[in-house]
Amino acid sequence: MRCRACRAPAVVDVPRHHAAFCTDCFLRHCREQVGRAIDHFGMLGRGERVLVAVSGGKDSLALWDLLLDLGYEADGLYLGLGIADYSPASRQAAEAFAHRRQARLQVVDLPADLGFDIPVGSRAARRAPCSACGLSKRHLFNSAARDGGYDAVATGHNLDDEAAVLFGNVLRWDLAYLGRQLPVLPATDGFVKKVKPLVRLSERETAAYCVLRDIDYIVEECPMSAGNRHLRYKEALNAIEVRSPGTKAAFYFGFLERMAPLVAGAADEEREGLHPCPGCGSPTVSETCAFCRLVAAARA
Ligand code: SF4
Ligand code: ZN
């Protein structure tokens, strides 16, 4: 196997592109894919400040590394979920990376700063752990970015993640979610812009990127992910991708090009009636926002 770009011995193959790369050319390929995603979807302008949602896993650390190398002013925010074993190890990976790159990492720890953890909070609020976790992340990343004067929150969703979420939304024809499933969600009242610069890279590519860049990431999955239906969607798509490389990219980018404009209105309707939550000021359509209700239930 030879590198497509320079003909040196290859170390990584990317079947979707019918290509293999040596280390240097693969790292350049990753930078190019992220740069192309940022430019094509208008994610970030030069000089914009970015807050990277850092979990300590391969995707978020690869994203942070790539944004720094591409010259963006990118700080990290790590959210401690209070999940035994997993949270201390993931925090350590995030802090070690920040130290190595001399980058700024902010830490919000749910148990220490807000008085609850995800296992207890989700039970008290009668939510699935991943639902309570997702809600907490969306709320806390947005408020930290807003308070810190950042122009955007960047998350490490890769092509596999986006294709799996799209698959789930299509299986249920969830138009409101489909209308929001975009690589850029522009800033609106109370919401900071959200961007996903890794959508042109697969999970396998972000893992290879970290290995070749010698980035120590937490390999263990969060124990709460067991039974998560997105994992089943990923498995189903992986089975198809092995036989037909490029299917995930065709599914996801075909959706963005041909279907997303048709369902954009469904997400807009949801935003009607938003007002500031009396507890925290975040936009909500309910009397009190879902995060404030989660916190109240967890502390009760
Ligand atoms: Fe949160 Fe669920 Fe992901 Fe664990 S698996 S980090 S609980 S969303
Ligand atoms: Zn609130």
Side-chain angles (χ1 to χ4, degrees):
M1 206 166 57
R2 299 243 150 220
C3 173
R4 177 167 83 178
C6 73
R7 310 307 302 160
V11 293
V12 190
D13 68 322
V14 185
R16 173 174 97 258
H17 292 305
H18 307 290
F21 297 102
C22 70
T23 298
D24 286 350
C25 293
F26 178 72
L27 298 177
R28 190 167 55 241
H29 155 82
C30 292
R31 282 193 290 271
E32 281 171 4
Q33 293 301 316
V34 169
R36 278 178 66 183
I38 290 173
D39 292 345
H40 181 79
F41 296 109
M43 291 183 181
L44 300 169
R46 282 288 152 199
E48 284 195 335
R49 294 180 64 228
V50 192
L51 186 63
V52 182
V54 179
S55 70
K58 61 187 183 324
D59 300 311
S60 60
L61 293 183
L63 170 63
W64 199 3
D65 195 57
L66 284 156
L67 289 177
L68 290 169
D69 280 355
L70 288 169
Y72 289 97
E73 187 183 336
D75 298 338
L77 172 61
Y78 171 82
L79 182 59
L81 305 170
I83 297 172
D85 299 336
Y86 173 75
S87 289
S90 59
R91 178 172 177 166
Q92 209 246 324
E95 288 179 337
F97 177 86
H99 180 73
R100 175 175 144 182
R101 291 273 345 214
Q102 296 292 294
R104 211 168 82 93
L105 177 69
Q106 198 182 326
V107 174
V108 174
D109 189 65
L110 281 182
D113 299 329
L114 288 139
F116 71 96
D117 59 33
I118 289 298
V120 169
S122 61
R123 271 197 301 277
R126 295 166 192 257
R127 279 177 168 265
C130 293
S131 156
C133 179
L135 168 63
S136 304
K137 285 176 180 167
R138 283 191 298 279
H139 178 91
L140 293 166
F141 285 126
N142 189 65
S143 49
R146 208 182 45 205
D147 297 348
Y150 291 92
D151 299 290
V153 171
T155 56
H157 295 93
N158 58 44
L159 176 59
D160 299 62
D161 296 323
E162 291 303 291
V165 171
L166 175 60
F167 191 36
N169 289 337
V170 167
L171 287 177
R172 288 186 301 280
W173 291 118
D174 196 324
L175 292 185
Y177 281 170
L178 284 168
R180 282 202 295 271
Q181 210 198 325
L182 301 170
V184 184
L185 288 176
T188 52
D189 279 348
F191 290 113
V192 175
K193 176 167 65 173
K194 311 280 181 331
V195 299
K196 300 174 182 172
L198 296 187
V199 290
R200 295 184 61 89
L201 291 174
S202 71
E203 204 159 283
R204 204 166 144 266
E205 286 164 276
T206 60
Y209 178 88
C210 286
V211 171
L212 295 174
R213 286 280 289 155
D214 208 12
I215 294 172
D216 263 334
Y217 61 91
I218 176 161
V219 177
E220 292 76 35
E221 295 288 340
C222 169
M224 301 279 165
S225 69
N228 185 319
R229 63 172 179 245
H230 284 127
L231 293 182
R232 292 200 295 279
Y233 299 150
K234 275 190 180 176
E235 283 167 16
L237 290 173
N238 284 343
I240 301 171
E241 183 79 15
V242 167
R243 286 173 166 253
S244 310
T247 301
K248 284 182 204 174
F251 179 49
Y252 176 63
F253 292 110
F255 162 76
L256 291 183
E257 199 181 305
R258 296 195 282 280
M259 188 56 73
L262 304 181
V263 291
D268 293 344
E269 281 169 26
E270 276 219 329
R271 290 183 173 265
E272 283 169 18
L274 282 174
H275 61 88
C277 166
C280 68
S282 293
T284 179
V285 286
S286 315
E287 199 177 316
T288 307
C289 82
F291 183 71
C292 283
R293 282 183 274 137
L294 169 68
V295 174
R299 288 176 179 168

